[in-house]
Amino acid sequence: MTKGPIGVFDSGYGGLTVLKEITARLPAYDYIYLGDNARAPYGPRSFNTIYQYTLQCVEWFFKQGCPLVVLACNTASAKALRSIQQINLPKIDPSKRVLGVIRPTSEIIGNYTHTNIVGVLGTAGTVSSLSYPIEIEKFFPNVKVYQQACPMWVPLVENNEHNNDGADYFIKKYLDEILLQSKDIDTLLLACTHYPLLLDKIKAYLPAGFTILSQGKIVADSLAGYLNRHTAIDQKCTKDGLSTFYTTDAVAGFNQKASIFYGKNVEAKHLMLG
Ligand code: DGL
């Protein structure tokens, strides 16, 4: 049996906020992280572009021997996951698995709201896909979902401007816009893996009593449950507690910013995608 590490993918740095929680929850496993920084952000790109980029990265993970890949990116999960699962996986290798971040979050979000009205903040791609309203309805048909695209938030985080005064304007702008959609929203989901870095500033603009959900721990718990239930996949995962990091852009810049998202030093390798 070929064994390998678990692949964790994001368009850039955001998935590191998820990997951080996954490695804390499941420290025994090996991981390969790939940030497609050279082509980020994915948020404003078309369905087909996001699908092709994500598929190319998933195929690379499989070549590294990964039995399982987690798309730790809402935009890729929204635009590419279903096509990869239904069209590509059966041809590439039906024994491989690709999981996303939208379903694990949709499965639990209804447990947090008292008003049954939730807000989803994400990239333009995630919002326009309607993936969250569709998925949440399957698990919580009584929950009403309002969405807001926050196109300036990823650039603020990617440029390390998220803690500076200039960030406040755009943080307040999108929060005001979603709260205008319904005054009864009591739970906000940060449906982009970059947004946890904005959490302190987001909290400061919301009334007390709001629940704000980040995805890292939710996805980590869900992955733990998945590996527990799917022992055949679990047995194909190597378990030496090692993590390796790749970026499609320059390594020096990646290492510097990645540590902000990951909370630890990162020494990445460069990957040139053809
Ligand atoms: N981190 C990605 C997400 O969760 C989006 C970043 C991007 O636009 O590339 O949606």
Side-chain angles (χ1 to χ4, degrees):
M1 188 203 310
T2 334
K3 290 187 170 197
I6 296 173
V8 178
F9 172 72
D10 184 49
S11 59
Y13 301 102
L16 290 164
T17 62
V18 177
L19 181 63
K20 182 180 163 187
E21 300 297 342
I22 292 178
T23 53
R25 179 80 172 74
L26 298 164
Y29 292 77
D30 297 336
Y31 301 94
I32 299 189
Y33 183 86
L34 172 60
D36 191 8
N37 298 75
R39 302 187 293 196
Y42 278 18
R45 296 192 190 278
S46 70
F47 173 90
N48 204 40
T49 301
I50 296 168
Y51 171 38
Q52 293 307 330
Y53 285 0
T54 307
L55 176 59
Q56 196 183 12
C57 293
V58 165
E59 285 173 332
W60 176 81
F61 278 114
F62 290 160
K63 286 195 191 113
Q64 311 312 302
C66 298
L68 168 68
V69 177
V70 178
L71 303 183
C73 173
N74 287 270
T75 313
S77 300
K79 301 271 185 178
L81 179 62
R82 186 170 299 235
S83 303
I84 290 174
Q85 284 174 334
Q86 293 180 352
I87 302 168
N88 306 103
L89 268 188
K91 291 184 212 149
I92 302 172
D93 183 345
S95 73
K96 304 271 190 195
R97 293 291 177 273
V98 183
L99 306 175
V101 290
I102 295 177
R103 189 183 163 127
T105 320
S106 301
E107 275 175 1
I108 53 104
I109 191 167
N111 300 333
Y112 290 87
T113 171
H114 300 292
T115 57
N116 276 346
I117 301 187
V118 302
V120 171
L121 303 166
T123 65
T126 299
V127 166
S128 69
S129 74
L130 298 178
S131 300
Y132 274 101
I134 292 167
E135 277 299 303
I136 292 171
E137 216 216 330
K138 290 183 195 158
F139 299 102
F140 300 100
N142 297 328
V143 169
K144 170 95 185 129
V145 181
Y146 289 92
Q147 300 195 96
Q148 177 64 44
C150 311
M152 289 302 290
W153 284 8
V154 167
L156 283 172
V157 172
E158 291 268 324
N159 289 291
N160 205 13
E161 290 289 343
H162 53 285
N163 285 323
N164 296 338
D165 292 346
D168 289 76
Y169 174 82
F170 285 107
I171 290 172
K172 183 170 179 325
K173 176 181 162 73
Y174 300 135
L175 292 175
D176 284 350
E177 281 171 17
I178 195 152
L179 295 180
L180 258 184
Q181 294 186 51
S182 168
K183 61 176 177 30
D184 295 321
I185 295 172
D186 68 347
T187 303
L188 272 182
L189 170 65
L190 306 185
C192 171
T193 52
H194 281 67
Y195 297 174
L197 275 84
L198 298 167
L199 187 60
D200 288 343
K201 281 194 185 272
I202 292 173
K203 271 189 196 153
Y205 282 109
L206 290 174
F210 247 83
T211 301
I212 308 168
L213 293 176
S214 301
Q215 295 175 300
K217 284 201 172 66
I218 297 169
V219 173
D221 284 347
S222 169
L223 180 62
Y226 180 89
L227 291 168
N228 215 6
R229 290 192 308 277
H230 298 85
T231 46
I233 300 287
D234 185 70
Q235 281 160 13
K236 289 185 194 161
C237 298
T238 50
K239 298 182 183 95
D240 293 309
L242 299 172
S243 295
T244 42
F245 300 84
Y246 286 83
T247 174
T248 55
D249 207 349
V251 163
F254 180 86
N255 289 345
Q256 201 190 353
K257 283 193 195 156
S259 59
I260 301 170
F261 289 78
Y262 194 51
K264 272 190 238 168
N265 269 357
V266 168
E267 301 241 348
K269 297 174 194 165
H270 181 249
L271 169 67
M272 179 64 92
L273 285 173

